[in-house]
Amino acid sequence: MAVKKVKAILKDYIIEVLNDYRIANESRQVSLLGRKEALTGKAKFGIFGDGKEIPQLAMAKVFRNGDWRAGYYRDQTFMFASGLMTLEEFFAQLYGDTDEKFNPQTAGRLMNNHFATKTIDKNGNWLDLTKRKNSSADISPTAGHMLRLLGLAMASKLYRNNKELKDIKKFTVNGNEVAFGTIGDASTSEGYFFEVLNAAGVLQVPLAISVWDDGYGISVSRDYQTIKSSISEALKGFAKEGKVSGYYIYKAKGWDYPNLCKIYEEGIAKCRKEHVPVIFHITELTQPQGHSTSGSHERYKSKERLKWENEFDGIKKMREWILKEKIADAKTLDKIESDAIVRAREAKQNAWENYMTPLKEKRKDFINMVDISMCNCAQTDKIDSIKKELKMVSEPIRKDIISSGRKILRLICDQCSNPHNSLKKNVTAWLHTEMKDDHERYNTFLYSDTPRSATKIKTVTPVIEKDSHWVPGRQVLRDNFEYLFGKYPLLLAFGEDVGRIGGVNQTYEGIQEKYGELRITDTGIREASIVGQGLGLAMRGFRPIAEIQYFDYLLYALQVMSDDLATLQYRTKGGQKAPLIISTRGHRLEGIWHSGSPLSMVINSIRGVYVCVPRDMTRAAGFYNLFLQSDDPALIIEPLNGYRLKEKLPANIGEFNTPVGVPEIIEEGSDVTIVTYGSCVRIAQDAVKQLKEFSISSELIDVQTLLPFDIHHTIVESLKKTNKIVFFDEDVSGGATAYMMQKVIEEQKGYYYLDAEPRTVTAKEHRAAYSTDGDYFSNPNAEDVFDAVYNLMHEANPAKYPKIF
Ligand SMILES: Cc1ncc(C[n+]2csc(CCOP(=O)(O)OP(=O)(O)O)c2C)c(N)n1
Ligand SMILES: [Mg+2]
């Protein structure tokens, strides 16, 4: 019996090893073919995982349902071995196939070997993430994914330790999920790597980072990248020492299959159970084909290095080991290898046909439709030559067909249009249908398109009753947060000074005492990974508010907001979401780094995230209330000087909301429209008062959100009445005022209602000086607004409004 059992185990082991060997070989073969596809022009670019196959097999063995990956472009073998991608899908990515049936992870929106599993369905509902292996969507900026990795790992800790979440089902099983990260050796030089490693060590979260060390970052060798030329040496101080918390650090050779299997099994088991983070430094990896299809590694690797890479090729080494251990004979392995070549070719062929057949059909249909046999106008020759040219394209893409269609449409003359079968009508209808189709293909899912889109939430206005109390603005927020923490068990807030003291402006005062440190907590000073933490947590079902203490410091976090958060829904074509709220406070305080309002920098880099600029705390609270019902990410900028100003405490605290894209008319007027937001509203109100004394009637509009901007075109309605407009804020000139101007004058067609040139009132080019009146001379003030408006009135009617100075 015992012998039988041993034999059975041995048999299973042999099957497992040979299956791994097959996956490694198939993975290698698709890499080799992939490069050829790119070099022969069938793909635009290719980056592959050859040389990194073996450790990924080991990692995949311990990657379970519910676990997460945040990695980079070398991980194809891991994806194959985890059952998350087929070889056909590998090629579909390479060709940029936009058909989700064939390229479900990115639908052609990302370059090849960028991986992303689905976490939500088409209506934005969460899938059961405990029953699937999850890969957060990759991005290209090196180490950029480290930030979200922190949040993915943190979620397990919170789910395990917060007993009130024991009924949460779709995201966790007792916090047992490990967040697997992968990164290249050279990318560990990025600051984010160290920032996140430090934070994960402090937090003690189940994060397992594998460094695929092939000695190079493109052409730059490890000596230029890493102190002591070894990341595990460099990180020795991070190691766990007895009871002192830290990391388990493993180091192994990337071609040593049995040892890799052993360390991954051991390391991940500890990580899962103890929630201690782990580093796997995997050395002696290779790049058989160099970095990518953009160049060849012979340019920078020595002959000796190339020879070594050949000898220490992981697959070759695995073969040697299988033979040495007598797990299989050479014939068996030869067969696996030759089958892998066949299978890779077949996958390539299938993917290419899937991609090309519909395109060729589309071209055929189009050419048949443009039937000019009945035309006798002068342009038929030109039309014919465009058709011929299109026919000649051996591998047509949509651009070829649409571009031909648009050019042909210009040449179809109205005279030859048969009313019953009008060529013009047919081509026009075809073009409309195609453009709609391509819009869906390439331009959707910047924001959520589900019923939980922030634009679709029913508006609930704040209820102010006769006996409502006047309270400082910060209390409106505080009371509102207290209510929200009670209402949403998955709501979290964290940031610098947010936990114990309740925020630098006391907007969370007493909330940690009431709801505990797991819900509301202090973080280290690490803005980028505060946002990353929020992003990862939001991807795992939490509703985080990640606080950046001051708007000026948002720059540290702008990269992750721009490259990762803002593109998430788009780059997965609605396959993943992260409804994260980033909160900060800005506008008008003291000096260069405490007064900023660089809104153009923000709105122009984070399209995909809504940007809210409330003028007071009731409006700010309304945005938190709105976004917690929505599945869109948002940035909410509280007006710094509004915490102490009194507001009436709404009776329906926590329930009212502030709609997005809906400006509010603060003052009605007839002479001029003033458009502004945030703290500038109060300054504009002062200016409006001053203007009134000169009998100038201003209509003052608070846009409330810059993204989205005035979705119902309220502002142009005001302009129709006043025919004059001033855009005012404290960004630089050409900044957010220019953005607002473009929206109103071009998009809303405000141009047609102007009687005078549109004006902007902005800050100076330099930042605000600290000196007590530095603000007055750096930022725009009520007098500047007054002058801008008055001068407009003067130009229109110099007799009534004589020049002042
Ligand atoms: C922020 C950023 N800088 C530069 C690049 C260009 N780039 C892409 S990959 C790469 C090298 C990465 O090397 P390594 O991390 O060792 O990974 P490997 O490709 O060797 O596996 C560079 C510089 C980038 N993608 N992102
Ligand atoms: Mg490298």
Side-chain angles (χ1 to χ4, degrees):
M1 183 64 190
V3 175
K4 233 180 171 179
K5 209 169 167 189
V6 171
K7 272 194 178 162
I9 292 170
L10 208 62
K11 194 173 156 209
D12 283 351
Y13 180 65
I14 292 171
I15 291 172
E16 189 181 324
V17 171
L18 294 185
N19 189 45
D20 277 351
Y21 192 65
R22 173 187 63 80
I23 294 169
N25 273 280
E26 287 179 357
S27 181
R28 175 63 60 87
Q29 289 306 321
V30 295
S31 295
L32 298 175
L33 280 183
R35 183 173 172 89
K36 282 192 196 130
E37 292 300 271
L39 296 183
T40 55
K42 276 162 83 184
K44 277 207 291 195
F45 171 77
I47 191 151
F48 307 109
D50 47 313
K52 318 279 188 297
E53 292 92 350
I54 308 304
Q56 293 182 22
L57 296 169
M59 186 166 106
K61 281 185 203 302
V62 289
F63 188 63
R64 283 203 211 146
N65 280 354
D67 283 347
W68 282 82
R69 166 190 170 278
Y72 80 118
Y73 49 79
R74 299 287 183 215
D75 291 346
Q76 72 196 47
T77 313
F78 172 78
M79 295 301 284
F80 298 143
S82 301
L84 294 180
M85 195 166 80
T86 64
L87 301 187
E88 272 78 1
E89 286 167 10
F90 167 92
F91 284 106
Q93 280 203 338
L94 188 66
Y95 300 137
D97 196 338
T98 52
D99 190 333
E100 284 173 87
K101 198 161 65 237
F102 304 121
N103 188 1
Q105 310 210 14
T106 63
R109 293 182 175 196
L110 298 184
M111 61 168 56
N112 83 306
N113 273 7
H114 283 52
F115 311 109
T117 55
K118 296 255 182 288
T119 61
I120 51 175
D121 67 18
K122 277 282 166 233
N123 297 318
N125 300 312
W126 290 108
L127 301 171
D128 187 339
L129 304 181
T130 65
K131 297 210 163 63
R132 35 179 62 228
K133 296 171 177 173
N134 305 291
S135 174
S136 59
D138 289 359
I139 56 174
S140 297
T142 49
H145 59 290
M146 289 296 297
L147 301 168
R148 103 175 82 89
L149 179 63
L150 180 67
L152 293 173
M154 179 85 186
S156 294
K157 179 171 173 160
L158 296 179
Y159 280 128
R160 184 178 287 178
N161 293 350
N162 184 349
K163 299 301 169 214
E164 280 170 26
L165 301 180
K166 65 178 187 322
D167 294 332
I168 297 288
K169 292 279 178 268
K170 283 184 167 178
F171 304 109
T172 190
V173 178
N174 192 32
N176 288 337
E177 304 77 26
V178 172
F180 288 73
T182 67
I183 190 166
D185 53 316
S187 300
T188 65
S189 312
E190 294 278 11
Y192 292 160
F193 177 78
F194 290 95
E195 179 175 323
V196 166
L197 246 59
N198 176 56
V202 168
L203 295 167
Q204 289 291 286
V205 290
L207 177 155
I209 181 82
S210 296
V211 181
W212 306 144
D213 186 349
D214 59 14
Y216 287 86
I218 311 186
S219 67
V220 183
S221 72
R222 200 167 38 214
D223 322 341
Y224 285 85
Q225 305 280 2
T226 308
I227 183 167
K228 301 183 182 181
S229 267
S230 163
I231 196 66
S232 51
E233 281 297 310
L235 293 174
K236 275 200 165 143
F238 282 60
K240 184 173 162 59
E241 289 169 1
K243 286 210 161 44
V244 179
S245 64
Y247 280 79
Y248 292 116
I249 301 181
Y250 291 88
K251 188 176 175 187
K253 296 191 184 346
W255 44 264
D256 187 353
Y257 174 81
N259 188 38
L260 288 163
C261 293
K262 185 172 148 278
I263 62 159
Y264 271 98
E265 195 177 329
E266 184 187 308
I268 296 300
K270 284 198 211 173
C271 183
R272 203 181 290 288
K273 184 157 175 267
E274 302 166 25
H275 278 189
V276 172
V278 191
I279 295 161
F280 296 100
H281 180 199
I282 309 303
T283 61
E284 300 197 12
L285 288 167
T286 66
Q287 295 175 346
Q289 304 186 101
H291 176 77
S292 72
T293 53
S294 300
S296 76
H297 58 156
E298 286 82 7
R299 281 180 304 159
Y300 51 80
K301 284 181 188 160
S302 66
K303 280 208 175 71
E304 294 71 44
R305 169 78 197 184
L306 289 166
K307 187 162 162 272
W308 176 88
E309 287 204 10
N310 195 23
E311 269 168 37
F312 281 78
D313 184 289
I315 298 182
K316 204 168 165 184
K317 283 274 177 199
M318 185 172 176
R319 183 186 162 104
E320 287 166 17
W321 171 78
I322 293 173
L323 292 174
K324 191 172 112 248
E325 296 295 322
K326 300 198 172 22
I327 293 168
D329 58 17
K331 211 169 121 204
T332 308
L333 299 185
D334 290 346
K335 171 90 169 74
I336 291 175
E337 287 161 22
S338 56
D339 283 354
I341 295 174
V342 174
R343 175 68 189 105
R345 277 196 202 128
E346 176 192 78
K348 182 195 83 165
Q349 201 53 36
N350 291 342
W352 181 250
E353 269 163 32
N354 292 339
Y355 173 58
M356 209 22 86
T357 310
L359 288 170
K360 287 199 168 153
E361 301 249 303
K362 191 173 284 296
R363 172 174 66 179
K364 198 169 97 198
D365 292 348
F366 171 71
I367 288 174
N368 288 342
M369 180 188 57
V370 187
D371 177 6
I372 44 173
S373 55
M374 304 298 280
C375 297
N376 52 8
C377 75
Q379 312 261 46
T380 49
D381 279 358
K382 281 189 188 165
I383 295 178
D384 205 36
S385 85
I386 293 174
K387 281 176 70 177
K388 275 196 185 122
E389 224 171 89
L390 179 62
K391 243 186 228 170
M392 303 266 288
V393 179
S394 60
E395 278 131 16
I397 54 174
R398 278 193 173 70
K399 179 182 147 197
D400 299 321
I401 307 167
I402 300 287
S403 148
S404 303
R406 292 169 82 169
K407 284 178 188 153
I408 284 174
L409 196 55
R410 295 176 201 157
L411 300 169
I412 300 172
C413 39
D414 286 330
Q415 302 92 293
C416 77
S417 292
N418 169 348
H420 303 295
N421 186 21
S422 157
L423 190 55
K424 185 144 192 159
K425 240 197 213 156
N426 291 348
V427 178
T428 306
W430 171 88
L431 192 58
H432 280 305
T433 312
E434 288 304 314
M435 299 275 249
K436 205 166 144 230
D437 184 45
D438 287 326
H439 174 83
E440 192 280 328
R441 205 176 289 280
Y442 286 114
N443 309 121
T444 49
F445 287 104
L446 180 58
Y447 295 94
S448 164
D449 209 9
T450 72
R452 279 188 295 273
S453 155
T455 58
K456 293 184 191 150
I457 310 272
K458 196 171 165 284
T459 303
V460 180
T461 46
V463 175
I464 305 295
E465 288 167 350
K466 265 207 213 101
D467 56 353
S468 291
H469 291 297
W470 287 98
V471 296
R474 73 114 197 148
Q475 195 186 322
V476 177
L477 275 178
R478 200 215 74 90
D479 290 4
N480 196 69
F481 281 136
E482 182 168 9
Y483 182 93
L484 294 177
F485 271 85
K487 181 172 175 185
Y488 297 104
L490 290 166
L491 173 62
L492 307 166
F494 47 84
E496 296 149 22
D497 304 291
V498 163
R500 189 154 168 206
I501 64 164
V504 284
N505 293 87
Q506 303 277 284
T507 50
Y508 293 102
E509 188 195 10
I511 297 186
Q512 192 185 62
E513 277 118 79
K514 185 160 175 188
Y515 291 101
E517 216 190 324
L518 291 170
R519 305 277 311 275
I520 171 156
T521 184
D522 290 320
T523 66
I525 305 173
R526 47 176 181 80
E527 286 76 13
S529 62
I530 288 173
V531 170
Q533 186 172 324
L535 173 50
L537 286 165
M539 291 179 95
R540 292 195 59 192
F542 279 101
R543 296 309 315 251
I545 299 175
E547 186 185 287
I548 301 299
Q549 198 162 74
Y550 295 102
F551 189 20
D552 307 69
Y553 308 130
L554 193 77
L555 255 92
Y556 277 64
L558 200 56
Q559 185 274 331
V560 56
M561 290 171 66
S562 177
D563 287 331
D564 203 343
L565 181 62
T567 65
L568 183 67
Q569 300 198 61
Y570 177 79
R571 74 184 193 267
T572 56
K573 206 176 176 190
Q576 296 189 356
K577 67 174 176 183
L580 167 65
I581 298 174
I582 297 163
S583 109
T584 189
R585 51 185 66 84
H587 324 302
R588 306 238 155 204
L589 196 66
E590 320 281 353
I592 296 185
W593 296 283
H594 293 88
S595 63
S597 193
L599 270 152
S600 51
M601 174 186 82
V602 169
I603 59 174
N604 290 326
S605 59
I606 60 165
R607 303 284 162 105
V609 177
Y610 286 126
V611 175
C612 309
V613 278
R615 68 178 179 279
D616 61 23
M617 300 310 169
T618 305
R619 257 33 63 179
F623 284 129
Y624 291 106
N625 299 344
L626 182 94
F627 277 98
L628 284 171
Q629 295 183 327
S630 138
D631 57 8
D632 276 305
L635 169 68
I636 299 172
I637 306 169
E638 296 167 7
L640 240 174
N641 52 11
Y643 295 111
R644 267 180 274 167
L645 297 172
K646 297 269 172 83
E647 297 176 29
K648 281 211 160 183
L649 187 67
N652 54 345
I653 200 85
E655 293 295 339
F656 64 87
N657 60 39
T658 315
V660 292
V662 181
E664 196 176 323
I665 298 174
I666 306 285
E667 294 248 359
E668 292 200 15
S670 52
D671 289 328
V672 62
T673 302
I674 302 173
V675 182
T676 189
Y677 57 86
S679 298
C680 287
V681 172
R682 208 167 297 117
I683 296 159
Q685 280 174 313
D686 184 2
V688 167
K689 227 190 271 162
Q690 296 181 28
L691 287 160
K692 226 178 246 165
E693 288 165 19
F694 285 75
S695 305
I696 297 169
S697 159
S698 319
E699 181 135 307
L700 175 60
I701 301 182
D702 173 7
V703 304
Q704 308 217 73
T705 57
L706 286 165
L707 298 176
F709 186 86
D710 188 10
I711 46 186
H712 306 304
H713 292 193
T714 315
I715 300 172
V716 77
E717 291 308 314
S718 170
L719 184 55
K720 281 180 190 171
K721 190 167 66 172
T722 62
N723 310 113
K724 291 177 212 64
I725 193 160
V726 172
F727 299 92
F728 160 51
D729 75 1
E730 53 185 5
D731 194 3
V732 290
S733 66
T737 48
Y739 161 80
M740 297 195 286
M741 192 196 279
Q742 182 266 337
K743 286 278 175 194
V744 177
I745 304 305
E746 185 183 332
E747 206 174 289
Q748 301 186 6
K749 304 202 183 304
Y751 172 82
Y752 296 100
Y753 307 100
L754 286 170
D755 275 353
E757 57 176 313
R759 288 267 164 87
T760 63
V761 178
T762 68
K764 297 278 186 291
E765 301 278 311
H766 58 76
R767 297 198 195 179
Y770 171 74
S771 174
T772 306
D773 52 14
D775 176 70
Y776 189 83
F777 294 101
S778 305
N779 277 327
N781 49 60
E783 286 74 59
D784 293 331
V785 178
F786 176 95
D787 288 349
V789 171
Y790 187 90
N791 287 342
L792 274 184
M793 300 303 289
H794 163 75
E795 278 160 33
N797 189 347
K800 190 166 174 200
Y801 303 102
K803 192 142 186 70
I804 297 176
F805 80 97

